[in-house]
Amino acid sequence: PVYDTQEAIYLGPQGILASLKEAIEVLEAGKEGLTVAGDILYNGDVEKWIQFANSLRIRYLIRVSKRVDVQAELQAIVTEGRIFEGNEDNALVNYLPSPPNQWFVHNIRAGDFGDVRMSTTIQGVLEVLDDPRMHTWFKPTEASVASGETIYAGMPNGIGPATRGNYDFSEVSLPGFIFREVPDGVDAVFMQYSELQYALDEAAHNGWISGDVNDYYEDGIRASFEYYNTDLPDDYLEREGVLLETETALEQIITQKWLASILVGYEGWFNFRRTGFPQLNIAVENLNNDQFPVRYIYPATEQALNLENYTEAVSRIGGDDYNVKNWWEK
């Protein structure tokens, strides 16, 4: 098969944005009397599917905003108003308390789970903000609990087997109760209201849409805390580092979006590549000359079975390695 261009994947007649618009038109034209069976996201509520599609359009318009003028289309979506209105509209699938549809981490071997630890990266962000989601997402270290203290501590991202031996894992935090002990403590998330609010916030900050930057920002924070059943401290929105400052507003918006997207890791990766925020440290043993990877390489089978089209695609994008930027992030 011939490879589509990266631009066409987003903007082509069969690309992501065109497909979402077409889906909305089809749903709108046929929604009267439409019965949707087996819908595990929205239980047959077509209007919620339209809200989801429009919210996804905003996600992808923001992603390609370096390459095309997205202002008019974003404003049109916001003006129409058929987008997520709260956490009740989140696009997610609930895990169940009994097999086989449980949160997968609940069932992995204890030894494998023990390798999953808090990173110093997220520890640093949460500590600076004195953010109580720390207590929801992570556990105090075993050593601190044994001594009667409450200490949360991470370890660097991307350390290998040899370096791991330098760490006492009893002094590094495990993921929180919702990520292990509860089979349905989290959901399979596609998109949340909080992500949408931060996307709108960035758009308002850039002058692409109407609306109050601070309102979008605070709604995103409240939605994230609410989703994780974590009490929002009365002074949180006024704290240093949380209260929006003109000079650092975009970094603050994207950092909060990164936190809220903890269950949708790709979005954090995409937004970091697009904006450079939050400020992250390269993995210790990264094997990539201290660079953040930005793409997958083509599998060897493509070189063996589809060499002509592989060669053409690689020539078009500028090479087949982990560091060739995608069309939307250049």
Side-chain angles (χ1 to χ4, degrees):
V2 176
Y3 292 99
D4 295 318
T5 66
Q6 295 171 6
E7 182 177 5
I9 288 169
Y10 286 93
L11 302 180
Q14 294 180 313
I16 292 171
L17 287 162
S19 296
L20 286 168
K21 288 186 72 173
E22 181 183 6
I24 292 168
E25 292 167 1
V26 170
L27 289 170
E28 184 62 45
K31 74 174 185 177
E32 294 301 325
L34 178 65
T35 300
V36 182
D39 178 6
I40 60 175
L41 258 70
Y42 292 125
N43 195 31
D45 189 329
V46 176
E47 184 60 32
K48 286 191 179 294
W49 276 101
I50 292 173
Q51 290 177 319
F52 180 26
N54 275 323
S55 299
L56 283 173
R57 288 173 67 198
I58 291 173
R59 171 194 280 180
Y60 294 118
L61 286 167
I62 295 288
R63 187 176 300 169
V64 301
S65 60
K66 281 187 176 182
R67 301 305 301 267
V68 293
D69 185 352
V70 299
Q71 181 172 344
E73 191 167 356
L74 282 172
Q75 184 61 63
I77 298 170
V78 172
T79 299
E80 185 181 18
R82 299 172 78 182
I83 52 180
F84 289 165
E85 297 177 352
N87 278 329
E88 65 276 7
D89 298 327
N90 288 342
L92 51 81
V93 178
N94 301 120
Y95 289 105
L96 302 180
S98 57
N101 297 319
Q102 297 174 302
W103 165 238
F104 78 98
V105 177
H106 176 71
N107 294 312
I108 64 175
R109 296 186 313 156
D112 291 337
F113 178 72
D115 286 341
V116 182
R117 298 283 171 162
M118 173 195 248
S119 79
T120 51
T121 303
I122 196 169
Q123 176 193 354
V125 174
L126 293 172
E127 283 183 344
V128 166
L129 304 177
D130 191 18
D131 195 309
R133 285 174 291 186
M134 172 94 81
H135 315 305
T136 302
W137 292 339
F138 301 100
K139 296 175 181 176
T141 66
E142 296 169 36
S144 71
V145 172
S147 66
E149 301 178 88
T150 302
I151 295 174
Y152 294 84
M155 60 196 305
N157 295 84
I159 61 173
T163 310
R164 281 177 52 193
N166 298 329
Y167 284 86
D168 180 351
F169 272 43
S170 71
E171 296 182 351
V172 185
S173 294
L174 282 162
F177 187 78
I178 62 171
F179 292 120
R180 176 61 171 176
E181 283 76 7
V182 186
D184 56 350
V186 295
D187 304 297
V189 175
F190 296 102
M191 188 176 187
Q192 292 172 293
Y193 174 69
S194 57
E195 180 196 331
L196 173 66
Q197 292 307 102
Y198 295 123
L200 295 173
D201 196 23
E202 181 182 348
H205 170 74
N206 291 331
W208 298 336
I209 63 170
S210 58
D212 186 271
V213 174
N214 208 56
D215 287 348
Y216 287 130
Y217 178 70
E218 292 185 358
D219 283 349
I221 291 173
R222 290 190 185 97
S224 179
F225 274 77
E226 178 186 84
Y227 175 78
Y228 285 103
N229 297 310
T230 302
D231 291 334
L232 180 67
D234 292 339
D235 68 334
Y236 183 83
L237 297 174
E238 304 299 321
R239 291 178 183 175
E240 183 178 357
V242 178
L243 182 68
L244 278 183
E245 303 288 348
T246 303
E247 299 80 9
T248 58
L250 181 61
E251 180 176 5
Q252 292 175 273
I253 292 165
I254 300 300
T255 298
Q256 286 287 349
K257 187 178 186 181
W258 178 77
L259 289 170
S261 300
I262 192 171
L263 286 175
V264 194
Y266 278 119
E267 285 308 304
W269 186 43
F270 292 145
N271 285 311
F272 168 72
R273 289 156 56 192
R274 190 173 56 80
T275 68
F277 300 125
Q279 297 181 28
L280 304 177
N281 296 317
I282 193 73
V284 176
E285 299 181 34
N286 61 88
L287 306 179
N288 191 37
N289 297 316
D290 292 333
Q291 299 179 76
F292 286 99
V294 296
R295 62 179 291 273
Y296 292 110
I297 60 173
Y298 288 106
T301 51
E302 285 302 295
Q303 297 182 47
L305 303 176
N306 194 14
L307 180 61
E308 181 179 351
N309 291 320
Y310 162 83
T311 302
E312 192 276 333
V314 168
S315 174
R316 186 172 62 221
I317 66 175
D320 187 17
D321 65 57
Y322 297 109
N323 305 310
V324 175
K325 289 187 176 182
N326 280 261
W327 165 81
W328 54 263
E329 62 186 313
K330 293 179 181 177

